[in-house]
């Protein structure tokens, strides 16, 4: 499969203070490759899922589509912006000569994808700086769920949209009415620790949801389908695209205990409940993931 080129090569670093100066071009490229990747993944799903590998556990699977879609997206970006870096789930990281890095999850929610559950997505983001969620600057992000016919997209300073409809979080809610999304790791011991936190939260918040695709959960905060989403153990590609959408919709995004968002802990929520929810998570036993133990 060959993805279309949508612009001439441009390896310059965009002026992020003026969204119209370069960032919109990055956004258009992200939108094109994400939508084409989603079409490719859907077609491969309809043809039948082939499990290519397992990683950390029996639940942590990789399909042939994961690898094929990431390769197609990576190649399409490289043709247009050869000096940009690349960080994906399935292929080796490529360093950046431009200061920009594309962060891609070819199929977020691979287990859902394999089982035919319509909650999986292709996530594409471009960030400035080191490819670390705690320090990078997100420039453009796109998350496409072809099963639901939904495309979430945003660029820095340009707002967030779902299928063209502007998203903006209404800053009114309270902890008792908070619908919280979360996810669980692949290792049994980590799941047990995460389950204990959920048990404590259930006595205070409205309810808990677990959909199995972080990018969609983060975007759901932007659309107010969830009031909050938290998880430990997310990788940069899991959260990059959705975070740009959530931030542009007005969400609070952070880690725990004053840290930035990332693998050790991630929270996106309505900003009104950020303080009380962080306090509740800590009181419920949530702690930043000890990455050295992975």
């Amino acid at each position: 499969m060959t993805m279309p080129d949508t612009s001439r090569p441009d390896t310059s670093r965009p002026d992020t203070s003026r969204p119209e100066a370069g960032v919109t071009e990055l956004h258009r490229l992200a939108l094109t490759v994400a939508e084409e990747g989603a079409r490719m993944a859907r077609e491969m799903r309809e043809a039948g899922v082939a499990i290519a590998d397992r990683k950390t556990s029996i639940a942590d699977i990789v399909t042939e589509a994961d690898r094929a879609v990431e390769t197609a997206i990576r190649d399409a970006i490289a043709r247009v912006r050869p000096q940009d870096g690349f960080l994906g789930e399935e292929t080796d990281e490529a360093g950046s000569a431009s200061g920009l890095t594309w962060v891609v999850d070819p199929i977020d929610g691979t287990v859902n994808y394999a089982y035919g559950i319509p909650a999986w997505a292709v996530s594409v983001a471009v960030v400035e700086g080191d490819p670390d969620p705690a320090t990078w600057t997100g420039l453009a992000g796109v998350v496409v769920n072809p099963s639901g016919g939904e495309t979430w997209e945003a660029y820095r300073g340009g707002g967030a949209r779902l299928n063209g409809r502007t998203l903006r979080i209404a800053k009114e809610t309270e902890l008792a009415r908070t619908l919280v999304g979360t996810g669980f790791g692949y290792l049994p011991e980590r799941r047990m620790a995460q389950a204990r936190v959920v048990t404590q939260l259930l006595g205070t918040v409205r309810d808990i949801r677990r959909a199995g695709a972080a990018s969609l959960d983060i975007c759901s905060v932007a659309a107010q389908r969830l009031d909050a989403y938290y998880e430990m153990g997310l990788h940069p590609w899991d959260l990059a695209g959705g975070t740009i959408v959530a931030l542009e919709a007005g969400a609070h995004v952070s880690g725990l205990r004053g840290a930035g968002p990332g693998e050790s802990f991630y929270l996106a929520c309505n900003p009104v409940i950020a303080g009380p929810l962080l306090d509740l998570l800590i009181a419920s036993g949530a702690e930043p993931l000890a990455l050295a133990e992975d």
Side-chain angles (χ1 to χ4, degrees):
M1 172 192 151
T2 300
M3 293 192 178
D5 289 346
T6 59
S7 63
R8 289 174 297 176
D10 177 9
T11 59
S12 63
R13 183 177 299 190
D15 178 0
T16 58
S17 67
R18 296 192 302 119
E20 69 277 10
V23 178
T24 54
E25 294 181 11
L26 296 172
H27 170 254
R28 284 193 293 270
L29 178 58
L31 187 60
T32 296
V33 298
E35 289 182 334
E36 189 64 15
R39 184 189 67 79
M40 179 180 179
R42 184 182 65 246
E43 290 177 353
M44 293 186 74
R45 179 67 187 79
E46 291 169 352
V49 176
I51 305 300
D53 200 1
R54 290 177 172 82
K55 293 188 276 190
T56 60
S57 74
I58 194 171
D60 191 4
I61 60 174
V62 180
T63 68
E64 294 290 353
D66 284 277
R67 293 175 173 174
V69 171
E70 181 163 313
T71 297
I73 291 174
R74 182 173 184 157
D75 290 348
I77 292 169
R79 286 195 297 272
V80 179
R81 299 189 58 88
Q83 294 193 36
D84 290 354
F86 189 90
L87 177 62
E89 183 172 14
E90 308 302 340
T91 57
D92 293 335
E93 179 179 354
S96 174
S98 66
L100 305 184
T101 298
W102 293 80
V103 186
V104 173
D105 195 337
I107 300 177
D108 183 31
T110 300
V111 173
N112 288 348
Y113 180 83
Y115 275 77
I117 299 170
W120 56 271
V122 176
S123 175
V124 176
V126 56
V127 304
E128 185 173 29
D130 293 335
D132 177 356
T135 61
W136 71 35
T137 298
L139 300 182
V142 178
V143 176
V144 182
N145 174 8
S147 300
E150 293 185 324
T151 296
W152 317 74
E153 38 92 11
Y155 61 87
R156 185 172 176 81
R161 290 156 296 279
L162 168 58
N163 289 351
R165 176 175 61 86
T166 298
L167 301 175
R168 195 70 192 170
I169 294 174
K171 295 181 172 61
E172 52 182 56
T173 191
E174 59 187 64
L175 210 53
R177 297 181 179 180
T178 296
L179 185 62
V180 179
T182 192
F184 301 103
Y186 292 114
L187 300 177
E189 57 271 23
R190 183 177 298 174
R191 291 185 178 197
M192 296 301 294
Q194 291 168 325
R196 288 191 288 270
V197 175
V198 168
T199 299
Q200 295 300 311
L201 290 179
L202 281 170
T204 302
V205 302
R206 168 169 275 165
D207 209 344
I208 300 289
R209 294 291 182 269
R210 191 271 199 266
S215 61
L216 294 179
D217 284 334
I218 298 168
C219 287
S220 290
V221 173
Q224 299 185 107
R225 296 176 182 176
L226 293 173
D227 298 300
Y229 167 77
Y230 78 93
E231 190 163 348
M232 294 167 282
L234 294 182
H235 297 289
W237 46 83
D238 296 317
L239 60 89
T243 295
I244 297 169
V245 173
L247 286 171
E248 286 296 320
H252 166 93
V253 177
S254 74
L256 203 61
R257 301 184 187 276
E263 186 173 357
S264 64
F265 198 90
Y266 180 92
L267 171 68
C269 68
N270 187 311
V272 173
I273 57 168
L277 181 56
L278 284 164
D279 290 342
L280 176 60
L281 285 163
I282 292 170
S284 300
E287 291 291 342
L289 185 67
L291 302 181
E293 296 177 2
D294 285 1

